[in-house]
Amino acid sequence: MQRLIAGHKRFLAEAFPARRGQFHLLAEGQAPETLFVTCADSRIVPDLILQTQPGDLFICRNAGNVIPRAGEPAGGVSATVEYAVEVLRVRHLIVCGHSDCGVIRALMNPDTLTGLANVRDWLQHVEPAWKYVDEVERNAGELTRHTALAHANVLVQLDNLKSHGYIQRALAEGRLNVHGWFYDILTGRIEQYDEGSKKFVALAE
Ligand SMILES: [Zn+2]
């Protein structure tokens, strides 16, 4: 905790004065172009890996970058996504999974969830990922299986997203673009899902 307080003091003394004008404008309101849905994992720092600034990204984080389907009880994620699309009118919605994800590990080893009622319950939103994983990937080594499931989970969450009527309308009106991404912690590289090849391909060459 002391490290956090010392960090905030340094922010007030050094970083904030250098950006006073930027924060002055931001205090008036926000107009982010992008909703970034990603995992709560501490190793993903969106503003670092995308080199974005305060005000650029509207961010929704939760274990496993989940977006519950329409008809599920309304929760924080559903409210955040709806607000971003309908009120802030973001033009892009990115669902970003990642390597070494604890939720994917739990999906692969459900026995480890004994006593974690909430996590077990949340995992139901991720379980359909299995249906996107083929026989070869299913029987592959741990890392390949993990990557295949993490990729698949991004597709599941995009499916879930599109179950919402207001998302279908926003897509039909051409005012929203959705993207499936995967971030590799070891290399720092992002892949994006390519509809044409049905594969995740490098976002930057
Ligand atoms: Zn994760």
Side-chain angles (χ1 to χ4, degrees), residues 39 41 98 101-102:
C39 188
D41 193 297
H98 70 103
C101 181

Side-chain angles (χ1 to χ4, degrees), residues 30 42 45 61 64 86 93 125 143 152 162 173 177 181 184:
Q30 63 169 336
S42 62
V45 183
R61 307 188 70 150
E86 295 295 272
L93 191 164
H125 299 300
L143 181 62
K162 290 170 188 169
E173 290 165 12
N177 301 288
W181 285 10
D184 186 291

Side-chain angles (χ1 to χ4, degrees), residues 128-139 145 148-150 152:
W130 282 113
K131 75 171 188 242
Y132 281 97
V133 175
D134 67 28
E135 203 57 34
V136 176
E137 292 163 332
R138 217 175 263 256
N139 296 311
R145 204 150 36 109
L149 276 169

Side-chain angles (χ1 to χ4, degrees), residues 29-196:
Q30 63 169 336
E33 278 200 355
T34 304
L35 166 61
F36 195 74
V37 180
T38 194
C39 188
D41 193 297
S42 62
R43 298 165 294 178
I44 305 167
V45 183
D47 284 333
L48 180 65
I49 63 176
L50 299 172
Q51 295 287 285
T52 37
Q53 295 288 324
D56 286 343
L57 300 176
F58 197 70
I59 301 177
C60 179
R61 307 188 70 150
N62 63 68
N65 35 275
V66 163
I67 299 172
R69 293 186 71 81
E72 297 283 340
V77 179
S78 304
T80 303
V81 174
E82 187 178 64
Y83 184 81
V85 173
E86 295 295 272
V87 180
L88 298 175
R89 298 257 159 174
V90 293
R91 288 176 48 211
H92 298 280
L93 191 164
I94 298 163
V95 176
C96 187
H98 70 103
S99 62
D100 197 41
C101 181
V103 167
I104 301 300
R105 275 206 306 275
L107 186 65
M108 289 164 68
N109 307 289
D111 300 347
T112 59
L113 297 180
T114 309
L116 300 177
N118 292 292
V119 180
R120 189 181 282 277
D121 196 39
W122 189 243
L123 208 62
Q124 65 174 300
H125 299 300
V126 179
E127 269 157 6
W130 282 113
K131 75 171 188 242
Y132 281 97
V133 175
D134 67 28
E135 203 57 34
V136 176
E137 292 163 332
R138 217 175 263 256
N139 296 311
E142 181 103 357
L143 181 62
T144 302
R145 204 150 36 109
H146 186 109
T147 304
L149 276 169
H151 281 171
N153 181 43
V154 169
L155 302 184
V156 167
Q157 304 315 324
L158 289 175
D159 274 357
N160 290 354
L161 175 74
K162 290 170 188 169
S163 69
H164 294 267
Y166 70 92
I167 293 288
Q168 293 162 14
R169 278 195 299 281
L171 289 170
E173 290 165 12
R175 63 179 166 88
L176 181 70
N177 301 288
V178 299
H179 314 267
W181 285 10
F182 174 84
Y183 171 62
D184 186 291
I185 295 168
L186 179 65
T187 64
R189 291 187 172 273
I190 294 171
E191 296 174 332
Q192 69 173 331
Y193 182 68
D194 175 52
E195 287 282 355

